[in-house]
Amino acid sequence: MEIKSADFITSMADYGPFAGRGLPQVAVAGKSNVGKSSLINRLCRRNKLARTSSTPGKTRLINIFLLNQQFHLIDLPGYGFAKVDKREKARWGKMMQDYFEQAEELRHVLCLVDIRHEPTEDDKQMNLFLRQMGIPFTVVATKADKISRGARMKQLAPICRALLVQPWEIICFSSEDGTGREELLKLLEAVTAPEPEAAQAHTMEQPT
Ligand SMILES: Nc1nc2c(ncn2[C@@H]2O[C@H](COP(=O)(O)OP(=O)(O)O)[C@@H](O)[C@H]2O)c(=O)[nH]1
Ligand SMILES: [Mg+2]
């Protein structure tokens, strides 16, 4: 897949109707500052499509982008920002729950974790939540440029242990040098492909 067009659609505090809703969705989840907005920008080759920030915890909204007029990329609000109070945390939880319950169009979640750090309790909870909901996901290890190629595999071990995935299932990504972009595009192509109606019909024809 090539990204031919990328447009910001809207930001919302509560997930609800928006123009063009109904297309397949891929959501980007992860704690504040892990690199969600940077990944979206790098993916689309647009520096300022999604707002990035060096101050974590700024994005408290669901940001929606339309890619190739074909699917929506959902920049979810980051979690695990130490300074937020209980009320803010509860609000975040409700927002996420509402989103995941309502987004019937959701095909896949990109779960971002910093390649240098062990996943947090919040990361593990998100992982468990997606598994319980039966939502397919891929772990993306961000900021891969911060460590040498040779050290990457070793860095992935604690991530694999915490999130119950295999190293080859993880996409190592860098919004700095573009590492992993092609792999991510391939994944997006696969998960946003039109529903295989023909394939379903074919399956039904198969002898049992
Ligand atoms: N070196 C490096 N820095 C990154 C990368 N991705 C994000 N950052 C930096 O990390 C900070 C947070 O990024 P941002 O995309 O706003 O994170 P978000 O809160 O998850 O959306 C910013 O200062 C980015 O420049 C990366 O792949 N490599
Ligand atoms: Mg962001």
Side-chain angles (χ1 to χ4, degrees):
M1 170 183 281
E2 254 186 82
I3 304 298
K4 297 188 194 95
S5 69
D7 301 287
F8 170 74
I9 300 299
T10 187
S11 290
M12 45 179 95
D14 297 298
Y15 188 69
F18 60 90
R21 183 169 163 188
L23 291 171
Q25 294 182 5
V26 176
V28 183
K31 64 180 184 180
S32 300
N33 226 31
V34 72
K36 296 180 293 300
S37 303
S38 304
L39 175 140
I40 292 171
N41 289 340
R42 181 75 198 205
L43 189 71
C44 302
R45 292 211 171 102
R46 292 264 303 274
N47 283 340
K48 286 174 185 167
L49 186 65
R51 279 230 205 126
T52 59
S53 167
S54 44
T55 337
K58 284 263 171 175
T59 336
R60 285 274 171 268
L61 297 169
I62 296 172
N63 295 304
I64 301 179
F65 304 90
L66 174 64
L67 272 62
N68 288 353
Q69 311 279 332
Q70 194 192 338
F71 68 97
H72 288 116
L73 199 60
I74 315 289
D75 187 7
L76 292 171
Y79 51 76
F81 181 44
K83 275 186 198 159
V84 306
D85 57 30
K86 261 194 182 155
R87 243 179 69 206
E88 184 82 348
K89 226 178 163 177
R91 207 181 74 83
W92 178 88
K94 168 119 187 12
M95 220 164 139
M96 295 296 262
Q97 194 164 354
D98 286 352
Y99 171 72
F100 284 110
E101 279 173 10
Q102 286 179 50
E104 286 165 23
E105 303 89 348
L106 179 64
R107 296 275 187 94
H108 207 86
V109 179
L110 303 175
C111 296
L112 273 51
V113 290
D114 190 318
I115 195 163
R116 299 166 298 171
H117 306 305
E118 221 173 293
T120 62
E121 277 312 308
D122 291 319
D123 291 324
K124 288 191 228 173
Q125 257 184 43
M126 172 61 79
N127 186 265
L128 190 63
F129 175 78
L130 293 175
R131 288 177 188 280
Q132 284 168 345
M133 298 273 288
I135 299 170
F137 63 87
T138 296
V139 175
V140 178
T142 63
K143 311 195 185 183
D145 57 281
K146 299 257 194 189
I147 55 166
S148 72
R149 248 169 198 283
R152 271 182 212 165
M153 265 301 158
K154 192 169 156 255
Q155 282 301 125
L156 294 184
I159 297 174
C160 289
R161 264 199 305 276
L163 305 181
L164 309 172
V165 293
Q166 301 295 333
W168 57 85
E169 295 172 322
I170 297 179
I171 296 179
C172 290
F173 189 87
S174 165
S175 56
E176 209 60 33
D177 63 19
T179 296
R181 184 174 180 271
E182 288 304 317
E183 211 180 327
L184 192 55
L185 286 171
K186 260 191 210 146
L187 174 73
L188 291 177
E189 174 155 23
V191 301
T192 62
E195 219 87 70
E197 280 168 52
Q200 272 169 22
H202 181 74
T203 315
M204 286 195 304
E205 280 166 22
Q206 279 185 349
T208 46

